[in-house]
Amino acid sequence: MISNQKHALKLSRDYTQANFAWILSLIVTLLLLVNSFNFKEGTLKGAVFTVFLVYFVFTVFQLFLTWKMKRDLLSTGEIQSKTRKLGYIQLLSILSANIFIASFAFNIIKKKKTPEYTFAVYMLLTQIFILAISALNLFKPYVTDTFLPAMGILIGILIFQVITLVLVSKHVEDNLAPSWMMAIAILLIITSLTGNIFNLLLGISLIVKVRSHDQSRILKWNTMWSKITRNSTAILGMFFIILMFSLSVCSKFTFDYDMAVENNYGELLQNPSLEHPFGTDNFGRDLFSRIVFGARISLIVGFASTIIPTIIGGFLGALAGYYTKRADNVIMRLLDILYAVPGILLAIAIIAAFGANTMNLILALSVGSIPTYARTMRANVLMVSNYEFVDSARALGSSDLSIIFKQIVPNSLAPMIVKATLTIGGAVIATSSLSFLGLGVEPHIPEWGNILKIGSTYLESHSYLAVIPGLAIIGLVLSFNFLGDGLRDAFDPRMD
């Protein structure tokens, strides 16, 4: 009996996430405590200390809740309903922007969680964060003309998302969704134009369950997304990526671009405040706005410099893997020559020859990555080409191109998707590195590498100018790595 209860404790994903939540929340709490004191002046930062106290209260309660869950699992083998109801108290952590505890709270209050429920939860959390971040512009002396209409639309979408979350939690099951949810799915897809990809994922998932009569297809869909949504690091990585993407889309209407690029010599090197949450740089530009607009550049360059070599390298690798011998030797030997040149050196050479701008940066990063994607696709095609369904397609008289792009390539995409996700982080680092060296995005454009370059000269006096963009780069790269690991596990049939 005792061994079964301990086994239940190890298998409980709610308990695992509870530990994950309070540990991460504790780390943030300690960081807030350290930053609450101005050690040079010997003073206390009231606002930061208040946030620390709020985080501390929720962290302590989370620790208690984790202990309560452990006791339930050891005594009865499952988490009691009374313990789950305590999660409603933890929902208040949303007000402190504690994403770790807030996401745990949504999960513990529902015993049986479908992928749609998880999508709905993070959809709502993303929208709340977008509204909260955008609302900080109210403390600035002026806002963009589209601020109020945009905020009104975002609040309307938030209300719709709350209703959707309630409906999904009550009516959507593992293999079934009511037909009337088709209308909700369509509205979710439309509202995903704000950049909240969780809306799109939830909408597509509802359509799959409403329209599909093939239970095996629904089971395959559920299995793949369940592996991702049950992976705490993967779903948090996806949350941060989608938050940055959605913020990049919405910032066009809620942020004033002039504050990020126009010099304001009356506010040089201002310390963080409500008006300037991250302070100002040596030209008086609002660092908060620059970080927000810089996310757009990093994401565009990161995705574009990954998609281009994925398509080109995948095409060449598919041809090399299917047409063996001569075609394989010609294509792969040419790519080996390109592969022999270090990627960063090739990027510097291309930018030095054609000039430093965004398009040339994307081209420079794309060219050096083509051989790696070609090799990955070639290996997949060589394996898939030996399967029986490919031989059947040949026996039926299908053309080579039809076999390659209708039979082989679709069954070889999973490793390519995983590789692309894992290497986007490298593209973000390369973008920031080249911009830091003055070889990437134009210096006047707010990009995290450019911001970091300026901040590096003020590390002793105004360290936040370098620390904040550095943390943004680290956060985005880690998020892509976490998501890539989650996708790799989801596509691996050997993983439970």
Side-chain angles (χ1 to χ4, degrees):
M1 181 66 179
I2 296 176
S3 61
N4 291 336
Q5 292 166 352
K6 290 183 177 180
H7 186 63
L9 181 65
K10 292 180 180 179
L11 291 180
S12 175
R13 289 187 173 86
D14 288 329
Y15 178 69
T16 302
Q17 189 180 23
N19 280 304
F20 181 75
W22 81 260
I23 290 173
L24 290 180
S25 183
L26 178 63
I27 293 173
V28 176
T29 302
L30 294 176
L31 290 174
L32 289 170
L33 177 61
V34 172
N35 284 280
S36 298
F37 298 95
N38 191 329
F39 295 99
K40 290 184 178 180
E41 300 178 2
T43 58
L44 182 68
K45 301 175 184 176
V48 180
F49 188 73
T50 302
V51 176
F52 154 73
L53 290 177
V54 175
Y55 261 73
F56 178 75
V57 170
F58 283 116
T59 303
V60 171
F61 188 77
Q62 179 67 26
L63 186 58
F64 163 75
L65 195 54
T66 305
W67 169 80
K68 187 76 167 57
M69 294 169 63
K70 181 178 180 180
R71 193 177 70 172
D72 289 348
L73 289 167
L74 290 177
S75 60
T76 64
E78 64 178 6
I79 301 172
Q80 300 298 307
S81 59
K82 292 182 180 180
T83 304
R84 291 189 180 276
K85 289 179 180 179
L86 293 175
Y88 287 103
I89 299 176
Q90 288 293 65
L91 286 178
L92 296 175
S93 61
I94 296 176
L95 301 177
S96 65
N98 193 331
I99 178 62
F100 313 115
I101 291 180
S103 60
F104 161 78
F106 274 109
N107 281 314
I108 192 176
I109 60 178
K110 188 170 176 61
K111 184 176 181 179
K112 189 176 181 180
K113 295 170 281 291
T114 61
E116 291 76 20
Y117 177 77
T118 305
F119 290 151
V121 166
Y122 282 95
M123 169 188 73
L124 182 63
L125 290 175
T126 301
Q127 194 72 9
I128 291 173
F129 271 71
I130 292 297
L131 279 167
I133 293 172
S134 300
L136 290 174
N137 286 305
L138 291 172
F139 296 101
K140 291 181 168 51
Y142 59 89
V143 294
T144 182
D145 294 337
T146 57
F147 177 79
L148 291 178
M151 290 294 286
I153 293 173
L154 292 175
I155 292 173
I157 294 175
L158 176 66
I159 296 172
F160 166 67
Q161 290 173 337
V162 172
I163 297 172
T164 300
L165 174 60
V166 174
L167 294 175
V168 166
S169 65
K170 290 185 176 181
H171 299 287
V172 177
E173 300 177 3
D174 284 336
N175 57 354
L176 181 65
S179 58
W180 52 265
M181 278 201 163
M182 179 62 72
I184 293 178
I186 295 173
L187 288 175
L188 285 168
I189 293 174
I190 294 173
T191 54
S192 67
L193 294 174
T194 60
N196 194 339
I197 305 301
F198 285 116
N199 287 34
L200 180 63
L201 291 174
L202 178 57
I204 294 174
S205 188
L206 290 175
I207 290 175
V208 169
K209 289 192 174 180
V210 170
R211 294 181 62 89
S212 180
H213 301 289
D214 186 356
Q215 291 299 316
S216 62
R217 181 183 177 188
I218 295 177
L219 179 61
K220 185 177 180 180
W221 175 271
N222 273 342
T223 301
M224 182 186 70
W225 284 112
S226 292
K227 289 180 180 179
I228 297 175
T229 55
R230 289 181 304 187
N231 188 325
S232 299
T233 55
I235 196 67
L236 283 176
M238 182 185 291
F239 166 77
F240 187 76
I241 295 167
I242 293 177
L243 176 63
M244 290 293 101
F245 180 73
S246 184
L247 189 60
S248 299
V249 174
C250 295
S251 62
K252 182 176 178 63
F253 307 99
T254 57
F255 279 76
D256 193 331
Y257 188 70
D258 289 341
M259 286 195 169
V261 295
E262 295 293 334
N263 298 341
N264 185 355
Y265 296 107
E267 296 187 346
L268 301 180
L269 299 174
Q270 295 289 317
N271 290 322
S273 61
L274 288 176
E275 182 178 344
H276 304 291
F278 294 160
T280 60
D281 64 8
N282 56 333
F283 291 101
R285 298 171 298 193
D286 181 47
L287 183 61
F288 183 65
S289 300
R290 289 177 64 79
I291 292 292
V292 170
F293 287 110
R296 183 186 306 172
I297 301 296
S298 295
L299 287 172
I300 289 175
V301 176
F303 276 106
S305 59
T306 301
I307 292 173
I308 292 174
T310 300
I311 294 174
I312 298 175
F315 177 78
L316 294 175
L319 295 179
Y322 187 80
Y323 296 105
T324 54
K325 297 182 180 179
R326 181 176 297 179
D328 184 19
N329 285 329
V330 171
I331 294 174
M332 296 312 296
R333 296 300 77 77
L334 290 175
L335 291 177
D336 284 343
I337 296 174
L338 183 60
Y339 192 71
V341 182
I344 193 69
L345 181 61
L346 180 62
I348 292 174
I350 292 175
I351 292 172
F354 298 101
N357 58 59
T358 306
M359 292 303 300
N360 289 341
L361 177 61
I362 293 174
L363 175 64
L365 295 176
S366 299
V367 171
S369 301
I370 291 175
T372 59
Y373 286 98
R375 286 186 171 190
T376 302
M377 178 58 82
R378 175 181 176 273
N380 297 331
V381 170
L382 285 173
M383 178 180 63
V384 175
S385 296
N386 296 319
Y387 290 170
E388 292 181 356
F389 65 85
V390 176
D391 294 333
S392 300
R394 289 196 188 100
L396 292 173
S398 299
S399 64
D400 288 342
L401 291 179
S402 176
I403 294 174
I404 292 173
F405 295 107
K406 289 185 179 181
Q407 304 294 333
I408 298 177
V409 171
N411 289 282
S412 305
L413 286 179
M416 294 288 286
I417 293 172
V418 172
K419 180 176 178 58
T421 307
L422 289 170
T423 53
I424 289 177
V428 172
I429 292 178
T431 301
S432 300
S433 300
L434 290 171
S435 296
F436 185 87
L437 297 173
L439 297 170
V441 178
E442 297 92 323
H444 67 279
I445 294 178
E447 191 274 331
W448 289 347
N450 287 337
I451 300 171
L452 184 61
K453 181 180 180 180
I454 294 175
S456 63
T457 60
Y458 296 92
L459 278 173
E460 294 185 0
S461 59
H462 299 82
S463 59
Y464 57 86
L465 292 176
V467 171
I468 293 174
L471 290 176
I473 295 170
I474 292 172
L476 189 58
V477 172
L478 278 177
S479 297
F480 277 115
N481 290 341
F482 290 155
L483 179 58
D485 288 338
L487 288 174
R488 181 182 58 200
D489 294 342
F491 286 123
D492 190 347
R494 296 170 297 179
M495 300 292 292
D496 293 332

